[in-house]
């Protein structure tokens, strides 16, 4: 199993390292703390990206059919 540092995850996702730490803090991105450093497993990263894709699909459906949800 492969593990990534927060900096590596930031580069993969094209976000800031600070944002990765915020995702960890909010428990949106699973991680393990080993000593003083965090490590994110390849599986946890895959789960996170899949969940984000599902969220985007849900928002898109809501935006495409706004009249169906509000009335």
């Amino acid at each position: 199993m492969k593990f990534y540092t927060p900096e590596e995850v930031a580069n993969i996702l094209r976000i800031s390292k600070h944002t990765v730490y915020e995702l960890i803090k909010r428990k949106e991105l699973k991680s393990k703390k080993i000593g003083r450093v965090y490590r994110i497993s390849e599986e946890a990263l895959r789960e996170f990206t899949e969940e984000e894709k599902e969220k985007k699909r849900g928002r898109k459906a809501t935006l495409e059919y706004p009249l169906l949800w509000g009335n």
Side-chain angles (χ1 to χ4, degrees):
M1 178 177 283
K2 185 170 181 166
F3 287 87
Y4 297 102
T5 65
E7 186 171 313
E8 290 172 322
V9 171
N11 289 332
I12 291 167
L13 298 177
R14 296 181 180 160
I15 59 176
S16 73
K17 188 168 64 170
H18 174 75
T19 303
V20 174
Y21 282 108
E22 285 296 314
L23 291 169
I24 291 169
K25 182 179 173 182
R26 293 190 311 242
K27 299 185 182 195
E28 293 180 35
L29 177 60
K30 295 177 188 174
S31 67
K32 300 283 184 194
K33 191 169 185 182
I34 303 169
R36 297 177 64 197
V37 294
Y38 287 97
R39 295 291 182 253
I40 299 96
S41 71
E42 188 173 31
E43 181 181 338
L45 182 57
R46 188 174 295 119
E47 286 176 15
F48 174 78
T49 56
E50 289 300 318
E51 288 172 5
E52 289 301 306
K53 285 180 188 177
E54 289 298 318
K55 286 180 188 177
K56 284 185 179 181
R57 285 185 192 126
R59 282 195 299 252
K60 185 177 180 183
T62 303
L63 292 175
E64 285 180 358
Y65 305 105
L67 298 177
L68 295 176
W69 312 129
N71 298 330

